[in-house]
Amino acid sequence: MKKTVLVSGGAGFIGSHVTVELIQAGYEVVVADNMSNCDLTCFEGVKKITGRDDIPFEKTDFCDAAAADALFAKYPIDAVIHFAAFKAVGESVAKPVMYYKNNLGSFLNVLEAAGAHGCHNVLFSSSATVYGEPDVVPVTERSPRKPATSPYGATKQMCEDILRDTVRATAGTPGEIKGILLRYFNPIGAHPSALIGELPRGVPNNLVPFITQTAIGKRECLSIFGNDYPTPDGTCQRDYIDIVDLAKAHVCAVARMMDGKMTEGCEVYNIGTGRPVSVLELVNAFQKVNGLKLNYRFAPRREGDVTAIWADPSLANKVLGWKAGRSVEDTLAAAWAWEKHLAGK
Ligand code: WQD
């Protein structure tokens, strides 16, 4: 019988790509989202890509404990992948209570409902932000977690701890919960169909949506934040991971949980490429692969940015049997195709 996976926050950027990969791998997926930061564009795209018009969709706010419980009562959920969270770093600094309430509250309700309804597998969408400014790069899963520099980052660390504690407390009991923490580096790009992608509201905070919106003429000029960092070209380095590659990591992780292959109650994996790319390199790659010129200028450093961080993804490569495969050029071509799709071009 097909296994059922609940994707909380499944109508968003990462959730929609994960839903596609899960369905294509043969899972039943229940998509739930409160639609606070997205519309139905990506869910409609998911239905088109998969050719499935019958994917269950629930408008659920996971901060509502009764609603979370009702969802687990309604479907035979074997595993949950939890994305439903706020994710804007700057906003979290301005509105900490809102961030803690939403990101912790929704996850606690998911865990409680999973426990109450015999769902034993929980995958949490974490972030490289938990490493802060690393002393050594690339970072491995054993690199220290530094104090969070924003409430957003703190919620990721706290949810990691909440899942670890839950796994420890339930080990060997009938309500046993197994956990996987996936720490994403910088997810970018879009599905090659150009039917789903990132849909930022207002002025984008993240680099690639800002680049594509500048290229299409929605923004006048990209500001590159800082060119005096101690890196080869003076701009920050990150590990930009293709969104479809990232989505596939979830399929590998869910399969490992469901097939009873986990060797620890709570496992953690870096999901990145292992390849550092600077802001300037990314901008140049975008221009080259798409054959266009981007209007950009150098601007002061952005507060809170780390100089350089990239993953050592060897644990995920070995244990999950997963590897990032797409080139940064292909990923940037997909991001541009998606921006053009949105503009109706
Ligand atoms: C990347 C680089 C900027 C915009 C954040 C979160 C992280 C994760 C992903 C998810 C940096 C530079 C950016 C611009 C620029 N969160 N930049 N001009 O900061 O690495 O990670 O997003 O939900 O937890 O912290 O990603 O895309 O914002 O920035 O020069 O207009 O691009 O300085 O070096 P970041 P980003």
Side-chain angles (χ1 to χ4, degrees):
M1 213 180 75
K2 278 192 173 185
K3 300 278 190 188
T4 300
V5 182
L6 169 65
V7 181
S8 81
F13 174 45
I14 302 180
S16 58
H17 287 83
V18 169
T19 299
V20 167
E21 296 305 317
L22 286 168
I23 289 174
Q24 290 180 342
Y27 291 99
E28 284 301 331
V29 178
V30 176
V31 174
D33 205 301
N34 70 354
M35 310 305 286
S36 69
N37 195 31
C38 60
D39 58 24
L40 281 171
T41 307
C42 285
F43 185 63
E44 292 303 326
V46 168
K47 291 201 277 189
K48 275 200 196 116
I49 295 167
T50 57
R52 284 274 308 268
D53 217 21
D54 59 342
I55 305 165
F57 176 83
E58 300 281 346
K59 188 167 183 299
T60 303
D61 185 348
F62 287 93
C63 288
D64 176 345
D69 188 79
L71 197 59
F72 279 83
K74 183 169 173 185
Y75 297 97
I77 295 164
D78 298 293
V80 52
I81 306 183
H82 184 67
F83 294 108
F86 293 151
K87 61 171 186 177
V89 177
E91 186 183 46
S92 80
V93 175
K95 298 176 181 170
V97 173
M98 186 175 107
Y99 268 67
Y100 287 115
K101 200 171 170 189
N102 184 66
N103 292 8
L104 302 181
S106 64
F107 191 47
L108 291 169
N109 287 337
V110 163
L111 283 175
E112 208 162 45
H117 294 277
C119 168
H120 302 288
N121 303 298
V122 178
L123 193 156
F124 178 67
S125 147
S126 191
S127 166
T129 194
V130 302
Y131 296 116
E133 176 97 52
D135 300 321
V136 180
V137 276
V139 291
T140 73
E141 291 78 359
R142 286 169 307 286
S143 298
R145 282 190 344 187
K146 295 285 186 65
T149 52
S150 71
Y152 162 76
T155 67
K156 289 294 174 194
Q157 293 185 339
M158 288 174 186
C159 286
E160 285 197 350
D161 295 343
I162 289 167
L163 184 51
R164 271 189 203 287
D165 288 345
T166 305
V167 165
R168 199 176 300 127
T170 58
T173 72
E176 184 166 68
I177 298 261
K178 300 266 191 199
I180 291 187
L181 310 173
L182 295 185
R183 292 179 178 156
Y184 314 142
F185 283 69
N186 287 59
I188 62 164
H191 196 266
S193 64
L195 291 170
I196 56 176
E198 210 167 351
L199 261 181
R201 290 202 168 155
V203 183
N205 294 307
N206 296 116
L207 179 59
V208 169
F210 208 105
I211 289 176
T212 56
Q213 290 196 6
T214 305
I216 205 98
K218 262 185 163 173
R219 312 275 156 213
E220 215 165 286
C221 182
L222 167 75
S223 293
I224 294 183
F225 299 136
N227 62 345
D228 58 352
Y229 283 99
T231 59
D233 66 18
T235 65
C236 293
Q237 293 172 306
R238 296 287 183 275
D239 186 332
Y240 295 96
I241 165 88
D242 181 84
I243 186 67
V244 177
D245 280 342
L246 178 119
K248 288 182 195 294
H250 295 72
V251 177
C252 298
V254 163
R256 180 170 168 82
M257 290 181 129
M258 304 268 209
D259 298 346
K261 297 226 171 92
M262 290 176 66
T263 51
E264 287 171 50
C266 188
E267 297 181 353
V268 46
Y269 299 100
N270 283 343
I271 303 301
T273 66
R275 168 193 67 201
V277 174
S278 75
V279 177
L280 206 50
E281 285 171 333
L282 197 84
V283 166
N284 287 332
F286 179 83
Q287 296 187 121
K288 192 162 174 219
V289 70
N290 296 312
L292 45 81
K293 278 227 81 58
L294 193 73
N295 195 18
Y296 71 84
R297 66 184 165 94
F298 292 110
R301 292 181 177 194
R302 182 173 71 177
E303 206 189 324
D305 272 341
V306 306
T307 303
I309 183 165
W310 66 92
D312 175 343
S314 50
L315 190 68
N317 297 164
K318 191 171 133 219
V319 181
L320 295 181
W322 168 87
K323 202 170 183 348
R326 228 161 169 209
S327 69
V328 83
E329 286 79 14
D330 286 350
T331 303
L332 291 170
W336 180 228
W338 164 245
E339 188 69 59
K340 286 192 290 185
H341 169 80
L342 287 176
K345 290 185 183 170

